[in-house]
Amino acid sequence: MGAAGMNVPFTDLKSEHRLLRSELLAVWDQMLDSGSFIGGSAVETFEKAFADHCETRHAIGVANGTDALVLALKALGIGAGDEVILPVNSFVATAEAVVLAGATPVFADVIPNTYNIDTELIETHITKRTKAIVAVHLYGQPCEMGSILEIAKRCGLRVVEDAAQAHGARYHGRRAGSMGDAGCFSFYPAKNLGACGDGGAVVTNDAMVAQKVRKLRDHGGITKYQHDIPGHNSRLDSMQAAALHLKLARLDACNTLRRQHAAVYDRLISAIDGIVAPEEPEGIRGVYHLYVARIEKGDRNDLQSFLAEHGVQTGIHYPLPIHSTPAFASFYRSPCPVAEANAPRILSLPMFAALGDDQLEYVASLLAGYAAGERRQVRAVVI
Ligand SMILES: *Cc1c(COP(=O)(O)O)cnc(C)c1O
């Protein structure tokens, strides 16, 4: 434990912004002079660049990732009386969006080592009210889209991708967000592509869906004071669009670094008995928004405090499967044993592009020491 006292934050937005500071300030400075803060060319330029990056025909900037999901569902005609199938393991916003669109969320269990929806269970949840599947690419790893698209086609369902954690990920060569009827992104600051505030986008190849989302985001119309449908105020502002456009240029390089860090964790963790690394199935190129390990021996919460005592910040994504939260208890239908067993065991390790190999090795050495039951000895040496 020569590395005593090293600090490893969970994520690091400060160093990311230090690199971009002068460029950011220059574009924002111009914007203050132009007086254009909502819509305008900055938003259009970013939308075009983001659609290109996602390999889709259209991208529509919106206020946040939750709204992206709500507007996509509404644009696809999903609402009151409809059921939408989604994984029980996700950020709560996935389920909130279904409820905000007026529909009923139906939760499906996940696969043990990818933490994504178990596509073999989807059909057991289909009823005559089912209208759509929300395919979540959790932790940055695309879920099994081949099966989802096949089931959707056969059963006449729509597919909305929640790619809020998966900017730039690929599934058998195709970009996350580009495969369903619509793909939804969040630009919350800590996401792989994050704004300096809130932001989101819907991407699609369907011109009708794109037009409907454009209307829904801005009071139901494209032209000022022409309201075709009741809409929302869910616009992406120009300052966020300009920041996102700058950061988009670095997204692929940052994702490659995240993948390299994940490979180092994979290698170091595979040698530790009782800790399970996440699995990346064949053909999938995840972007490791989060690196989630599973603690099979010992107590996850105890390990988390042990790491914190040694300067390593970790997270839990998420403490409860959504159907076990008070907010969604009324939508509980059936147990989801895999997600329920995983929840108390998962631990998200530090993950961001600027992580150093010495930091990765320090984290892994603490995990190895803990797993070997050396908590007391490790403490004695480090303190
Ligand atoms: C962040 C996130 C959202 C919501 O995005 P906001 O921009 O915070 O509204 C939705 N789904 C998932 C999986 C997310 O991680």
Side-chain angles (χ1 to χ4, degrees):
M1 285 296 132
M6 187 183 286
N7 272 318
V8 190
F10 183 61
T11 186
D12 182 16
L13 295 176
K14 281 185 212 152
S15 75
E16 185 188 333
H17 289 113
R18 258 196 304 277
L19 286 169
L20 284 171
R21 191 185 176 88
S22 59
E23 285 175 274
L24 265 176
L25 292 179
V27 291
W28 284 344
D29 198 49
Q30 275 183 353
M31 219 161 248
L32 287 176
D33 285 335
S34 80
S36 163
F37 297 110
I38 298 282
S41 66
V43 173
E44 282 164 25
T45 305
F46 170 67
E47 286 177 340
K48 196 171 177 322
F50 193 62
D52 284 349
H53 190 270
C54 292
E55 300 168 4
T56 55
R57 282 196 207 108
H58 312 276
I60 305 99
V62 298
N64 55 66
T66 310
D67 278 4
L69 289 161
V70 175
L71 270 49
L73 289 165
K74 284 193 174 186
L76 291 167
I78 289 144
D82 298 336
E83 290 179 0
V84 176
I85 297 170
L86 70 159
V88 76
N89 183 39
S90 183
F91 180 52
V92 71
T94 315
E96 284 175 324
V98 173
V99 172
L100 288 167
T104 301
V106 176
F107 298 106
D109 206 357
V110 298
I111 302 172
N113 293 351
T114 68
Y115 306 94
N116 273 326
I117 193 164
D118 184 344
T119 53
E120 297 199 351
L121 297 175
I122 290 177
E123 283 181 80
T124 67
H125 294 291
I126 295 179
T127 70
K128 56 184 190 309
R129 291 171 179 268
T130 309
K131 287 284 157 55
I133 302 167
V134 181
V136 183
H137 307 308
L138 201 66
Y139 311 149
Q141 175 159 158
C143 63
E144 201 30 65
M145 284 303 287
S147 316
I148 291 173
L149 293 170
E150 186 274 314
I151 294 166
K153 193 168 179 193
R154 185 154 41 78
C155 303
L157 306 177
R158 298 294 211 154
V159 176
V160 172
E161 293 176 71
D162 181 342
Q165 302 188 357
H167 319 70
R170 288 191 187 272
Y171 174 86
H172 293 277
R174 300 169 75 185
R175 286 283 198 201
S178 72
M179 296 170 274
D181 294 292
C184 301
F185 291 87
S186 163
F187 305 125
Y188 180 79
K191 306 284 171 153
N192 289 36
L193 178 62
C196 300
D198 274 314
V202 177
V203 300
T204 182
N205 287 315
D206 184 328
M208 303 269 281
V209 172
Q211 181 76 348
K212 189 93 185 271
V213 173
R214 279 188 198 287
K215 287 183 179 179
L216 285 168
R217 77 168 169 184
D218 198 6
H219 304 293
I222 302 291
T223 311
K224 209 166 189 148
Y225 305 125
Q226 186 185 313
H227 312 290
D228 302 334
I229 47 174
H232 295 237
N233 171 358
S234 183
R235 298 167 303 220
L236 180 65
D237 71 68
S238 316
M239 287 193 146
Q240 299 311 334
L244 288 164
H245 193 210
L246 271 180
K247 292 189 184 188
L248 181 59
R250 302 177 61 243
L251 175 62
D252 288 336
C254 289
N255 282 342
T256 299
L257 288 168
R258 284 175 183 263
R259 287 185 57 80
Q260 286 168 4
H261 303 332
V264 174
Y265 272 141
D266 283 348
R267 177 170 53 78
L268 298 172
I269 286 174
S270 68
I272 304 174
D273 185 35
I275 303 187
V276 182
E279 188 183 309
E280 186 174 72
E282 189 70 28
I284 282 175
R285 194 174 185 282
V287 291
Y288 293 91
H289 172 60
L290 298 167
Y291 186 93
V292 178
R294 195 169 67 244
I295 315 308
E296 292 287 359
K297 282 189 188 160
D299 180 74
R300 187 268 321 269
N301 293 345
D302 187 47
L303 171 57
Q304 186 175 35
S305 348
F306 170 76
L307 292 170
E309 284 160 25
H310 292 87
V312 174
Q313 304 308 317
T314 56
I316 296 169
H317 302 88
Y318 293 89
L320 290 174
I322 301 176
H323 72 172
S324 304
T325 64
F328 288 88
S330 62
F331 297 103
Y332 186 101
R333 280 203 191 167
S334 52
C336 291
V338 175
E340 285 155 19
N342 279 347
R345 296 186 181 143
I346 48 181
L347 188 65
S348 310
L349 303 181
M351 176 53 83
F352 51 91
L355 259 179
D357 279 347
D358 53 341
Q359 291 176 306
L360 292 161
E361 276 158 26
Y362 175 62
V363 175
S365 71
L366 289 171
L367 292 174
Y370 186 88
E374 290 165 10
R375 178 171 176 138
R376 225 175 300 125
Q377 290 92 309
V378 172
R379 272 187 161 166
V381 176
V382 174
I383 289 171

